[in-house]
Amino acid sequence: MADLENRLNQLKQEALAALAQASDPEELEQIRIKVLGRKGALADLFRELGNASPAQKPVLGQLANRIKGELATQLQVREESISSGAARGIDSGIDPTLPGVKPWVGRRHPLMAVSNEICRIFAGMGFSLVEGPEAEFDYYNFEALNFPPNHPTRDIQDTFFISDDILLRTHTSPVQIRTMESRRPPLRVIAPGRVYRSEATDASHASVFHQIEGFYIDRGVSLADLKGTLIEFVHQLFGPDIKLRFRPGFFPFTEPSAEADILCIICKGTGCRTCKGTGWLEIFGSGMIDPAVFGYVDYDPEEFTGYAFGLGVERVTMLLYGIDDIRLFLENDSRFLSQF
Amino acid sequence: MLAPINWIREFVDFDLTPDELAHQLTMTGLEVETVDRFRPDFTGVKVVRIVSSQPLPGHPDLSLCRLDHGGKGAAEVVCGAPNANMGLLTAWVPPGGRLPDGETIKSADIHGQPSEGMLCSPAELGLSTDPSRIIAIDEDVKPGADLVEALDLADDVLSIALNPNRPDCLGIYGIAREVSVITGSRLRRPDFKVRESGPPATDFSQVRIDAPDMCPRYVLRLISGCEVRPSPLWITRRLLACGLRPINNLVDITNYVMMELGQPLHAFDLDRLEERRIVVRRAGPKETMTTLDGAEQKLTEELLVIADARQAVAVAGVMGGEASGITDRTRDVLLESAYFDPGTIRRSAKFLCLSTDSSHRFERGVDIEMTPNASARAAQLIKRLSGGKVATGMIDAYPRKVKTATVRYRPQRASAVLGCHIPWDRQRRILKSLGFSISALQDGAAQVAVPSYRVDMDREIDLIEEVGRHYGYHRIPARLFAGVDIPMKRTATEMMRERLTEFMVGSGFKQILTTSFVAESNWSTFRAGSGDRESVILRNPMSIEQAYLRPSLVPTMADVVRGNLNAGLPDLRLFETGAVFGPSTVGQLPVETEKIVALITGAAQPPSWTYPGRPVDIFTVKGLVEGLMEALNVTDIEFNPGETPDWAHSSSLDVISGKVALGSLGELSSRWLDGMEIGEPVYFFDLTVAALVELAVQRPPFSAFSRLPSAKRDLALIVPDDISAGRVNTLIRAAAGDRLESLVLFDYYRGRQVESGYKSLAYSLSFRDPGRTLTDGEIDPIINSLLAELKQRHGIRLRS
């Protein structure tokens, strides 16, 4: 009866080998019929088992059943692996070096990503977002911001004109006036958007670019509050080791005005090409809103004071990512976009 | 503004390095952009003494000079200058030295005589205009010294980016005043004394001001018997350091005093003025004149001119005229020092497209009280350097007194605005050293008189800024939020933009940003709305290709598609959100609408070894819009063939929900793409953000769902061609009742397997009941009646 035992084991080996080589469901089905089917090889051996001695019958019976179970399991495993398609590579098992099936990977434009990040930081400090039109009246872009007509302060910003009194906004500051006209203090507002200057384009100048304006008007607002807000922002965006430096500046719609520089994020103040050796980077224009501006919107400057600040999104983005040419932003080369 | 540091030192003492000075000025409001070492543009030039000078045999106009150059032995140089005499201390360029024109000097052989290097005129070294004689050095310097060192020709020059509100610092003296406030050292006034002689100036000339609003003050002095010659080095080196070209003593002095005091001056040749008098008036309607730069200017009545009895001789405050200017033969000089209305000068400069050092200062506002002093200072220098005589007194026409402001100033207000308590004594000291006069404090306020040179100040807040900047912004503490808390609000548009971006980026799209400008051809192709084109065209575009505000995001985005395809970058999935501009009526702002547009080309899936590549088609963009709508919980949505614009293929669809038009989707027309030089099909969707905001359901109410199993049935239907898939969908839903949970089309076939005039649509239906498990016995009648309905009423039958 050792013969039957041998034949059972042999059948098992042959069946396992056949299963391993099978590459599609049809082959598997044929193996199943040939080995496990009602008229298959295993069934034949079970029939022969009837002739075995009573002592051996239970032993061989157990063996035959175990083999039947093993083969059934193996068959199922192979079925699953073949039907899942994973067996297509190399016949035995999976080739892990085959590339996965990737989805298309989308990207945010770096300017939008940074603009959102900046707005999110200010939102965390209680600033609400307000937007205004890109084509704007001279009144909002200049006059109500205390740029007198026929005055050299207007030369600071080269302007695209549509008509005598309609232009493309040269900064996001007109949103200040529009907001103040329709609301009363206290106000804490952030206004991102696209702005335009009729400037020749080069690696650091664009005629279409993006700014973010912020302002806060209430009783008792002072330059110290402006300083505190900008320092907090700089720490959140650039890191707590980046210092902020205030120095006097000039904007027609703020008085006193301040330029706010940050410690150069590249060299941390020792001087490098990015900061032109100064150790500092000019980031914000800011100041206390000029009482003359309040005059245009009928706020009492004795009751309310406010600060305003603005920053260029392109400049900040270029610093954060080390981008050296502003023209890359509107060129939208895939190889550029894929990096952010 | 360029400010040589040694010039500043003439008016104030300080113990700061150039970099320290630059830093202090920057931190108090005069932004120093660079500190440059100015050196004349020559190298190797030395001081030498001529120890002997003899005529070169056979060449009486040349001398052979032996030079003491401080080193061993004497050099021999042949020189043709009339003043190459023994004993002269002069400048020598040895062989190897370089002149400003770039020429390197070599040893030469002149008429058989070796000549080592050359002796130089100031003109050859670019130091003045005098070519006639070699430099004569009066200073006590040793032969062998470097000429630049010996004559102090080099200087550190601050380049200051001056804000337009600070004309007081458009002169070295004004900058020195700031330095004196910073350092606490005393400011030294320039010398305004002038020795006058002879008859009064009024005997020589007269002034009449016809337009006193445009010219509130006009001062003249007369200097007679002048000799026009090159300026001495102490003048020219400073002009050169400030970037000005030396011309002659008279012109150089007007420039020198302008740089020193910020007051532009003009010198007329008295003899060239008709009737020797000055009329300050508006230009005549057709008047013309030739300015010093040789340009013939057509004037208008808006412009102010300086005229003689007959014609305009200068555009006031901008540029003098050729016919009345200083020449080599000028003897009697009429020196103008005036105050012109800033707006008037700005108008002239803009109209003539002429910006000069003079107009730059006048249009920002000069110091009206400085006019007589500047006049005296220049007259004094002209007398000294040209040998002329200054006539007694000046002609001072001052028809409109410009009042200086007196401001009520509250020190406490300054502390409040700056957010930092600054003692009154400190505030007072700052204001005083800036030149303000201050009364005693009364009821917490002082009366502060603003000096005439601070044309930018007439309010308390202006003075607060002065105190703040000299107190030091770095001393002001940082503080977060003084006032009541203000609730932060997010707008629906802001949140929608974020959801759209998330969806698109999640769907594998790259966000792009394109320019807002398009060419006329694209404007007319994409224009929407019936307003006037004047409301969306730029008057001063960068180029004709960028003259219109974009009416759609498609054309500028298509440029990006082309750019990437040309760079060999296929399979583009791009989107942009941004404003487009519709025309309005003239005088109104263009109509701005925010859009989201996607453009797709190339493969539908990233290339992979597991399945064949399939290109994108209209169903890619349609599916995308369907998916987006699902994400925004917009259920009721239709896609209808609409009127197709020129730029889109006729298969394009309008996207509508109820009465709200969302936009369109489809394929860009191949004709338009040809024009754009794009060789591949491009699919798009173009939706209006405001419509999405209106339709999106921010917080849909929860509806309970059944946890019981569903029953599935697949149906392959043979459908007449004239019944659309959308219609079949509607019919099935109507007939299947409300237990039909989902209906999915999984196969669509037209071809040989199906008789002509018909198509095959295969659907998977899934049924579920909220209360119990559905049995075949319940599903079969539904299917049967559905099939009967489709067959009898619509000729749709089950595929066998």
Side-chain angles (χ1 to χ4, degrees), chain B residues 440-515:
Chain B
L441 223 47
Q442 198 177 357
D443 301 328
Q447 297 298 320
V448 178
V450 177
S452 59
Y453 48 83
R454 291 309 299 270
V455 294
D456 57 322
M457 341 229 89
D458 55 3
R459 303 169 304 166
E460 183 184 44
I461 193 74
D462 302 326
L463 272 55
I464 290 174
E465 179 172 67
E466 294 301 287
V467 168
R469 71 187 178 89
H470 277 293
Y471 177 72
Y473 282 7
H474 62 282
R475 289 210 181 89
I476 292 169
R479 187 173 67 177
L480 261 180
F481 300 139
V484 301
D485 200 44
I486 307 162
M488 208 281 292
K489 285 194 209 103
R490 297 192 72 195
T491 64
T493 307
E494 180 192 353
M495 288 189 283
M496 174 56 70
R497 207 179 287 137
E498 184 53 27
R499 289 178 76 184
L500 292 174
T501 306
E502 265 170 18
F503 179 86
M504 295 306 291
V505 171
S507 306
F509 280 74
K510 293 194 175 83
Q511 187 178 34
I512 64 172
L513 291 169
T514 61
T515 180

Side-chain angles (χ1 to χ4, degrees), chain B residues 532-544:
Chain B
D532 297 299
R533 71 163 47 199
E534 286 71 33
S535 63
V536 289
I537 183 169
L538 298 181
R539 279 189 180 176
N540 54 335
M542 300 297 287
S543 74
I544 196 79

Side-chain angles (χ1 to χ4, degrees), chain A residues 161 194 196 227 257 290 334, chain B residues 459 473 476 516 539 564:
Chain A
F161 284 97
R194 186 172 270 215
Y196 303 84
K227 219 172 154 176
S257 300
D290 195 300
S334 278
Chain B
R459 303 169 304 166
Y473 282 7
I476 292 169
S516 306
R539 279 189 180 176
N564 279 290

Side-chain angles (χ1 to χ4, degrees), chain A residues 123-272:
Chain A
M125 290 193 261
F127 286 77
S128 297
L129 188 133
V130 172
E131 291 170 283
E134 293 173 17
E136 185 55 285
F137 289 108
D138 180 283
Y139 176 81
Y140 290 106
N141 194 74
F142 285 130
E143 193 181 336
L145 286 165
N146 200 30
F147 286 78
N150 194 31
H151 193 271
T153 51
R154 292 203 172 197
D155 292 346
I156 309 172
Q157 303 182 354
D158 294 321
T159 310
F160 285 115
F161 284 97
I162 291 167
S163 67
D164 281 345
D165 63 342
I166 297 176
L167 42 78
L168 292 180
R169 64 178 177 187
T170 55
H171 48 186
T172 40
S173 308
V175 179
Q176 280 188 39
I177 306 298
R178 286 185 173 271
T179 309
M180 288 184 222
E181 265 184 357
S182 60
R183 288 151 72 171
R184 301 286 301 169
L187 283 175
R188 200 183 285 143
V189 166
I190 195 91
R194 186 172 270 215
V195 300
Y196 303 84
R197 304 259 173 103
S198 118
E199 281 187 353
T201 302
D202 62 24
S204 46
H205 296 89
S207 51
V208 177
F209 56 103
H210 299 79
Q211 280 188 342
I212 295 178
E213 184 90 1
F215 58 98
Y216 171 36
I217 305 166
D218 202 347
R219 293 181 178 86
V221 177
S222 75
L223 204 61
D225 298 290
L226 171 63
K227 219 172 154 176
T229 306
L230 296 190
I231 287 174
E232 177 62 23
F233 166 79
V234 164
H235 287 176
Q236 287 198 36
L237 187 67
F238 296 103
D241 56 332
I242 297 300
K243 287 199 194 92
L244 185 85
R245 168 178 101 164
F246 260 51
R247 60 186 165 82
F250 170 75
F251 305 100
F253 44 103
T254 52
E255 185 93 3
S257 300
E259 304 268 6
D261 307 333
I262 60 167
L263 198 67
C264 178
I265 61 171
I266 310 293
C267 66
K268 302 284 193 292
T270 55
C272 67

Side-chain angles (χ1 to χ4, degrees), chain B residues 625-641:
Chain B
V625 171
E626 287 167 333
L628 175 61
M629 293 307 150
E630 192 175 326
L632 299 177
N633 303 309
V634 181
T635 45
D636 161 31
I637 181 157
E638 288 172 55
F639 299 89
N640 297 332

